[in-house]
């Protein structure tokens, strides 16, 4: 079966996020005065084949941990859905 | 004796010829090793030079870490061979877990290409054995993701075991504890963001990188004898 994994990689709590801080500082210039915080990150959509949803989740978690995220500074949040 | 130094080239590496030229100018013999090779050949020391391996896609060093040559690099490092990662090479060593921590985007999100003053913090590494603690060295930096970070426990370990090798005098990139370079526990693997290979000639503005690379060549030469 084919699945689509959404892998959301974000910085661990406490790790400096200069990108998020810069965006936050820029927003008031556009009139967004009430934005409390911005965290930057990146997302990946990975199509993969697995026997079932659980196996797909496990594979997505493993590839996120080994390549997409650097566990020293980042963590990943994963959602998996079956495709057609 | 002449130390034979392998300089590892990934797709996107761009400081390999500077590294070879600096090694040769200091009396060693540098030669390039390609990332698809699986053996190092007969080398006494290894340099992972600067550049943008695999376009820095995903994270600097994240893809280079899986290059075919990296198993041999790991084996050489684990058997005590002298290894230094400069700039992108430092990022590769961190991603490969041969050194702890990670390099993040610079504070201020600015690409920094400028002279920097480094302070020698420890001489218990293959890169600093010939220097003196407290020496101030003028060595350029050239990076976007050079802000060193690690968790507090790692920082404590690095500090207590004398593994912070170099610090910035003015910390231009926001590194934790102003760290510019660290070593592994044995001191034979060193990573640093500044470029000592670009500071071995007065014509280029500074000769202060020579003391670092000479230490490295000496370590390589004696590793070869041992």
């Amino acid at each position: 079966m084919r699945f689509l994994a959404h892998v959301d990689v974000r910085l661990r709590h406490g790790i400096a996020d200069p990108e998020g801080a810069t965006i936050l500082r820029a927003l008031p210039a556009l009139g967004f005065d009430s934005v409390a915080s911005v965290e930057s990150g990146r997302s990946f959509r990975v199509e993969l084949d697995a026997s079932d949803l659980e196996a797909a989740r496990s594979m997505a978690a493993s590839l996120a941990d080994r390549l997409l995220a650097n566990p020293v500074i980042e963590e990943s949040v994963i959602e998996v859905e079956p495709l057609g | 004796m002449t130390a034979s130094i392998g300089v590892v080239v990934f797709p996107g590496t761009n400081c390999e010829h500077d590294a070879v030229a600096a090694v040769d100018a200091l009396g060693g013999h540098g030669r390039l090793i390609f990332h698809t090779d699986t053996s190092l050949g007969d080398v006494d020391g290894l340099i992972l030079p600067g550049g943008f391996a695999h376009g820095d896609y995903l994270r600097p060093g994240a893809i280079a870490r899986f290059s075919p040559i990296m198993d041999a690099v790991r084996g050489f490092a684990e058997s005590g061979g002298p290894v230094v990662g400069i700039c992108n090479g430092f990022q590769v060593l961190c991603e490969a877990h041969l050194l702890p921590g990670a390099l993040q985007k610079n504070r201020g999100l600015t690409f920094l290409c400028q002279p920097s003053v480094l302070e020698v913090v420890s001489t218990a590494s293959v890169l600093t054995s010939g220097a003196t603690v407290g020496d101030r060295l003028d060595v350029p930096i050239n990076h976007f993701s050079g802000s060193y970070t690690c968790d507090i426990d790692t920082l404590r370990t690095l500090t207590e075991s004398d593994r912070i090798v170099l610090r910035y005098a003015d910390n231009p990139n926001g590194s934790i504890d102003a760290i510019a370079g660290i070593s592994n526990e044995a001191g034979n693997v060193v990573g640093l963001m500044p470029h000592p290979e670009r500071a071995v000639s007065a014509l280029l503005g500074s000769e202060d990188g020579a003391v670092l690379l000479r230490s490295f060549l000496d370590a390589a030469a004696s590793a070869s004898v041992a």
Side-chain angles (χ1 to χ4, degrees):
Chain A
M1 268 185 82
R2 181 149 291 189
F3 296 88
L4 176 62
H6 301 264
V7 181
D8 187 18
V9 177
R10 52 187 75 163
L11 289 165
R12 285 187 183 281
H13 184 69
I15 298 289
D17 179 12
E19 210 164 351
T22 303
I23 294 166
L24 180 64
R25 279 198 303 276
L27 287 171
L30 298 174
F32 297 104
D33 294 320
S34 55
V35 177
S37 78
V38 176
E39 288 179 36
S40 73
R42 53 164 81 197
S43 70
F44 301 87
R45 287 188 296 165
V46 183
E47 284 186 32
L48 47 88
D49 294 317
S51 52
D52 56 38
L53 187 64
E54 203 41 53
R57 272 205 191 101
S58 166
M59 193 193 304
S62 176
L63 67 87
D65 193 46
R66 293 187 57 200
L67 181 60
L68 300 184
N70 177 352
V72 176
I73 52 173
E74 295 169 328
E75 58 194 8
S76 50
V77 176
I78 296 159
E79 282 173 33
V80 180
E81 58 179 289
L83 272 183
Chain B
M1 71 153 283
T2 305
S4 176
I5 305 297
V7 177
V8 181
V9 182
F10 302 99
T13 296
N14 62 14
C15 298
E16 69 272 31
H17 296 294
D18 305 54
V20 168
V23 164
D24 290 353
L26 294 172
H29 172 64
R31 72 174 170 83
L32 303 179
I33 298 176
F34 206 49
H35 69 113
T36 50
D37 291 347
T38 51
S39 113
L40 301 172
D42 189 16
V43 297
D44 309 314
L46 277 182
I47 294 178
L48 276 62
F52 301 86
H54 295 275
D56 274 359
Y57 289 154
L58 196 55
R59 294 177 305 278
I63 312 289
R65 171 193 168 196
F66 297 104
S67 296
I69 195 64
M70 285 306 291
D71 281 342
V73 171
R74 177 180 301 280
F76 185 79
E78 287 174 351
S79 68
V83 179
V84 60
I86 300 170
C87 196
N88 194 216
F90 185 14
Q91 296 161 337
V92 173
L93 290 176
C94 286
E95 283 284 343
H97 305 304
L98 286 168
L99 290 172
L103 283 312
Q104 272 195 291
K105 295 180 181 108
N106 297 339
R107 176 179 61 195
L109 293 178
T110 309
F111 191 100
L112 297 169
C113 180
Q114 61 194 47
S116 72
V117 176
L118 308 178
E119 187 183 320
V120 175
V121 183
S122 164
T123 54
S125 85
V126 290
L127 194 69
T128 50
S129 58
T132 305
V133 170
D135 276 356
R136 287 167 81 88
L137 308 176
D138 189 355
V139 179
I141 56 171
N142 184 51
H143 60 245
F144 183 68
S145 293
S147 184
Y148 182 77
T149 188
C150 61
D151 61 49
I152 292 300
D153 288 340
T154 303
L155 181 62
R156 190 179 302 124
T157 303
L158 290 174
T159 307
E160 289 174 356
S161 52
D162 209 18
R163 289 167 55 189
I164 298 172
V165 173
L166 297 162
R167 279 203 185 95
Y168 300 106
D170 62 352
N171 201 7
N173 57 28
S175 291
I176 191 169
D177 207 21
I179 287 174
I182 58 169
S183 77
N184 68 345
E185 201 173 349
N188 67 304
V189 179
V190 178
L192 76 167
M193 288 311 295
H195 287 269
E197 82 283 12
R198 297 187 190 177
V200 294
S201 156
L203 197 61
L204 298 177
S206 170
E207 294 178 292
D208 290 359
V211 66
L212 301 176
L213 293 178
R214 267 199 201 98
S215 303
F216 178 67
L217 291 178
D218 287 348
S222 45
S224 154
V225 170

